[in-house]
Amino acid sequence: MNVMNKAVSTISHPLDPLGIEEIERAVAVIKTADFHNDRVKFETVELSYPDKAFVRAWSTGMPFPRKAFVCAYDTATGAVYECLVDLAEDRLISRELVPGARTAVMPDEIELCAVNVAKDPDFIAAMARRGITDLTHIQVDPFSAGNFGYEDEADHRIVHCWVFHRNSKYDNGYAHPVEGLNVIYDLNTEQVLRVLDRVQIDVPMAEHNYDPRFEDIGKLRRDDLKAIDIRQPDGPSFSVDGNRVRWLNWDFHIEFNAREGLVLNDLRVRGEGGKASESRPVLYRASIAEMVVPYGDPSYGHYRKNAFDVGEYGLGRLANPLKLGCDCKGHIHYFDGVVTDTSGAPAVIENAVCLHEEDDGMLWKHTDYVTMEVEVRRSRRLVISSISTVGNYEYGFYWNLYLDGTIELEVKLTGIMYVGGLNDVAGERYGTQVADGVVAQNHLHLFCARLDTAIDGDANSLVEVNMVQPPMGEGNPMGNAFRAEEAVLATEKAARRSRNADTERSWKIINPNRLNKMGKPVAYKLMAPSMVRTYHHAETLLAKRAAFLDHHVWGTAYDAGERYPAGRYVNQSKGDDGIAVWTEKDRNIENTDLVLWHNFGILHLPRLEDFPVQPVVKCGFLLMANGFFDRNPTLDMPPSTDG
């Protein structure tokens, strides 16, 4: 197993994330601004993206401007400022006050909240009423509070805390929910606002662990596994230059930022012949732009569980430093990530992104039944991955590139289900009792991918495909006929689309200006096997805040400011920003710069097998070449051997 070197601060491409020095310079500029004081904190310090046309025209060796976007917030007044900094001149270009905004919940704020809650006298008294006076190992989970229209919360930037007990330092706290006890905590003032002691239920104390340091788990370890050795004696088939990656027919740029985590930029592919053929753009930018995890238990405070993990926390801020053998095997290249804390200080997440290639089984095969000649080729894929721990859950994001031009996003979910104590209001109607007194609640994991399309160029159209079964009679006398009926979705409102199993509905992105050998527009098809529906009522504030979930597919005209489907400031938002609002403009999206948004996910009805730690479950989608190439683009693959 080999590891390749990586550099944090090498800036060689206009889309490279800010380096450590650039972050420090941007923060220094803000600290000299007239609005800055000792109560001002930093939410975001990231690259301000250069104009798309500039990036398209740029080539290696050309100079490029560097600007930083900075979001700072005053914890004394609640004011939120968006700032633009010129890094060439160390100058504040602009600053704008954003009325009513609540910034994301930052990791260092979460840590301080847990400490402060455990010291609060009302909280200590509530725990004592449950017979728990030793708070040495108490676990306080600050949870984004959402927005439920409560007037006494309107002027506060808050979290809604859940409480668990641990019998010892390494004990699994999720086996011991303190049901009926919640805390409202103000992140700006760093104070407890209210202790909500709704009902007193005995805390389940039986241990349910997964860590082998516990004797009952350690003795389960089996000894009949044989080693699987993955080697690449000639090295990998990819090359890395800064954040640019080339692999066989693929060429792209890797980005990592605090909010979205792993991002792919300027994704290009060649057909057969590899380097000798033309490099053709497919996507300008691809990311997970939002996700939300709504829970289905209406009892006590559980209705507040609906975390927007991208906008309210940030997948990048919570990314794991990956280690060898954890999830990547073979010849690995790691990329570090750089994020900032609330002081604006840069923090390096080592090995935040893993790059490696894998064998993928059979690519194609045929046995000629006349000659009995056999031709078979093995497939392989390039995997670009990152894993984030958001409280109790782990989310692994795997962008897989294939030899035939397919792009796949596979999301792997594991970790620990969020639980509550068994209570008389909900019982087991809205979840599964996974241990005595411990209920894992019904919930969904819903992801929104933002795909800035560039199918052979930036002028694209979105096409819906529905299967049509003609009636029996003339033209279909035997009743067997079916055909695909295509329709261009020409405007943003027309492109608000949802699944339809009866017509096997699907979508593709075409370039009407580029034709394949059969005279049809080149295209990529969205293969969407993980579409699920939501279960919150339309009149709720959650429905307004998460309006991007109203449809499985949206199409919008490219706008550099429209990056997040639930809006820029999701924490305690009101639903007055985001894709449902933007698309009211009903802009033209035919033969223009198109952004495709796709919602997918998992409905999780908990199983006993998911506790105390959940085996991986998967969801995702594919973008598959559909008339983009004139024939199978993998005819250049050599016969499959071991060397």
Side-chain angles (χ1 to χ4, degrees):
M1 201 174 298
N2 297 304
V3 178
M4 301 177 69
N5 294 328
K6 73 278 185 189
V8 172
S9 299
T10 302
I11 308 299
S12 58
H13 189 284
L15 296 177
D16 282 346
L18 295 184
I20 291 174
E21 181 187 0
E22 291 179 315
I23 291 172
E24 291 173 339
R25 287 165 52 199
V27 170
V29 169
I30 299 303
K31 288 184 176 180
T32 64
D34 58 0
F35 66 86
H36 187 269
N37 59 68
D38 59 4
R39 294 289 301 277
V40 169
K41 294 184 178 182
F42 293 83
E43 184 219 50
T44 301
V45 185
E46 67 177 15
L47 176 70
S48 175
Y49 291 95
D51 183 75
K52 184 186 285 191
F54 173 84
V55 176
R56 286 284 193 225
W58 180 83
S59 60
T60 303
M62 290 176 56
F64 49 86
R66 298 289 282 178
K67 297 177 183 178
F69 169 82
V70 180
C71 174
Y73 57 104
D74 190 329
T75 58
T77 65
V80 175
Y81 299 95
E82 290 186 343
C83 307
L84 190 62
V85 176
D86 187 322
L87 293 172
E89 301 179 2
D90 291 334
R91 175 176 62 88
L92 181 62
I93 299 172
S94 64
R95 78 104 184 274
E96 181 179 349
L97 180 67
V98 187
R102 299 284 188 276
T103 51
V105 181
M106 302 291 283
D108 48 339
E109 293 178 325
I110 291 174
E111 294 175 9
L112 182 60
C113 169
V115 171
N116 288 344
V117 167
K119 295 177 180 178
D120 182 80
D122 290 341
F123 175 77
I124 293 171
M127 292 298 291
R129 287 192 287 272
R130 291 162 171 78
I132 299 174
T133 56
D134 181 1
L135 303 187
T136 304
H137 302 302
I138 201 70
Q139 176 182 325
V140 177
D141 282 11
F143 209 104
S144 51
N147 189 334
F148 295 88
Y150 301 141
E151 292 184 6
D152 59 350
E153 296 179 357
D155 297 327
H156 298 275
R157 179 169 165 262
I158 61 172
V159 286
H160 180 257
C161 302
W162 297 91
V163 184
F164 303 87
H165 183 260
R166 289 182 180 230
N167 294 340
S168 61
K169 180 178 180 180
Y170 296 103
D171 184 30
N172 174 18
Y174 295 107
H176 318 296
V178 182
E179 179 63 20
L181 178 61
N182 302 104
V183 178
I184 304 295
Y185 178 86
D186 190 311
L187 294 168
N188 284 356
T189 65
E190 301 175 356
Q191 294 178 338
V192 171
L193 294 181
R194 290 190 306 283
V195 174
L196 305 173
D197 193 356
R198 297 180 171 98
V199 63
Q200 294 179 33
I201 295 173
D202 290 342
V203 177
M205 299 305 287
E207 293 188 0
H208 300 278
N209 290 297
Y210 53 90
D211 191 324
R213 64 168 32 93
F214 290 89
E215 182 179 357
D216 59 329
I217 300 300
K219 68 183 181 183
L220 294 176
R221 184 171 294 179
R222 60 195 307 154
D223 60 4
D224 55 350
L225 288 179
K226 306 303 180 183
I228 296 177
D229 187 13
I230 299 173
R231 295 183 297 160
Q232 294 180 272
D234 300 325
S237 304
F238 60 78
S239 63
V240 179
D241 179 9
N243 282 36
R244 184 179 179 183
V245 179
R246 297 177 179 89
W247 177 71
L248 301 177
N249 292 356
W250 290 97
D251 189 336
F252 60 96
H253 176 276
I254 286 179
E255 177 194 344
F256 182 89
N257 66 57
R259 184 160 177 161
E260 298 158 298
L262 174 60
V263 177
L264 300 185
N265 290 317
D266 198 15
L267 197 62
R268 296 170 175 267
V269 69
R270 295 179 175 88
E272 60 187 88
K275 293 181 180 179
S277 61
E278 177 190 4
S279 176
R280 302 164 65 186
V282 178
L283 294 174
Y284 183 76
R285 192 173 189 274
S287 70
I288 290 296
E290 193 53 82
M291 59 175 288
V292 60
V293 188
Y295 285 75
D297 186 339
S299 65
Y300 301 115
H302 296 292
Y303 67 91
R304 296 195 80 139
K305 294 177 179 176
N306 52 75
F308 291 67
D309 290 336
V310 176
E312 291 179 335
Y313 302 106
L315 295 176
R317 295 185 188 97
L318 303 174
N320 295 178
L322 303 175
K323 303 296 182 184
L324 281 173
C326 71
D327 206 73
C328 306
K329 289 193 173 186
H331 202 121
I332 299 167
H333 186 101
Y334 285 122
F335 297 84
D336 291 342
V338 182
V339 297
T340 54
D341 63 17
T342 55
S343 73
V348 177
I349 302 174
E350 293 188 350
N351 304 345
V353 175
C354 174
L355 173 74
H356 72 290
E357 57 183 334
E358 297 177 343
D359 181 86
D360 187 50
M362 186 167 57
L363 173 62
W364 55 264
K365 178 179 181 177
H366 182 61
T367 301
D368 188 319
Y369 76 92
V370 175
T371 66
M372 297 308 294
E373 291 290 321
V374 179
E375 289 292 334
V376 61
R377 302 293 186 270
R378 288 198 72 79
S379 178
R380 62 176 62 191
R381 64 184 183 182
L382 187 69
V383 183
I384 313 102
S385 61
S386 183
I387 302 172
S388 296
T389 298
V390 188
N392 54 303
Y393 256 103
E394 268 74 25
Y395 297 99
F397 299 92
Y398 298 79
W399 288 96
N400 303 319
L401 305 181
Y402 293 87
L403 299 169
D404 65 350
T406 296
I407 304 164
E408 178 185 36
L409 175 62
E410 183 178 56
V411 182
K412 298 180 182 180
L413 297 81
T414 181
I416 300 179
M417 297 179 295
Y418 219 74
V419 298
L422 182 65
N423 64 61
D424 292 337
V425 175
E428 294 186 73
R429 289 181 296 162
Y430 302 103
T432 302
Q433 190 172 190
V434 292
D436 288 342
V438 181
V439 176
Q441 295 139 337
N442 299 340
H443 59 282
L444 299 104
H445 300 267
L446 303 167
F447 304 88
C448 183
R450 180 183 183 272
L451 304 170
D452 187 349
T453 68
I455 307 301
D456 245 353
D458 288 332
N460 291 173
S461 299
L462 180 59
V463 174
E464 182 170 285
V465 183
N466 287 283
M467 300 309 299
V468 174
Q469 183 180 22
M472 289 188 67
E474 185 178 355
N476 187 20
M478 305 307 295
N480 67 305
F482 60 93
R483 60 182 174 82
E485 187 173 83
E486 299 186 355
V488 175
L489 306 175
T491 67
E492 291 178 319
K493 286 186 177 179
R496 296 169 170 174
R497 305 300 293 167
S498 300
R499 67 180 178 181
N500 185 342
D502 288 341
T503 65
E504 296 293 344
R505 179 172 293 163
S506 63
W507 299 270
K508 62 182 183 179
I509 311 100
I510 68 170
N511 185 332
N513 311 290
R514 295 289 299 269
L515 306 180
N516 57 34
K517 73 175 183 180
M518 303 309 296
K520 303 293 185 182
V522 296
Y524 258 73
K525 181 179 181 179
L526 174 66
M527 306 291 290
S530 301
M531 294 183 287
V532 294
R533 58 156 291 185
T534 60
Y535 290 92
H536 47 262
H537 284 279
E539 59 268 28
T540 62
L541 260 174
L542 173 58
K544 294 179 174 62
R545 298 178 66 225
F548 69 94
L549 297 175
D550 289 350
H551 304 284
H552 294 109
V553 164
W554 304 71
T556 61
Y558 173 79
D559 184 318
E562 297 177 357
R563 284 175 53 186
Y564 310 114
R568 171 69 182 87
Y569 297 95
V570 182
N571 192 18
Q572 296 173 248
S573 62
K574 300 177 181 178
D576 52 6
D577 188 16
I579 197 167
V581 176
W582 310 332
T583 53
E584 281 298 308
K585 292 178 282 190
D586 206 21
R587 293 165 293 192
N588 170 64
I589 59 168
E590 184 177 6
N591 197 16
T592 191
D593 199 348
L594 169 72
V595 178
L596 175 68
W597 310 75
H598 173 46
N599 293 312
F600 63 97
I602 286 173
L603 167 63
H604 192 174
L605 302 178
R607 311 171 300 157
L608 292 180
E609 292 85 350
D610 293 329
F611 195 74
V613 64
Q614 175 186 305
V616 162
V617 293
K618 304 173 186 178
C619 61
F621 64 89
L622 298 93
L623 290 170
M624 182 176 291
N626 188 241
F628 187 81
F629 302 108
D630 284 340
R631 63 178 184 174
N632 182 344
T634 67
L635 297 177
D636 57 356
M637 286 297 292
S640 302
T641 67
D642 288 333

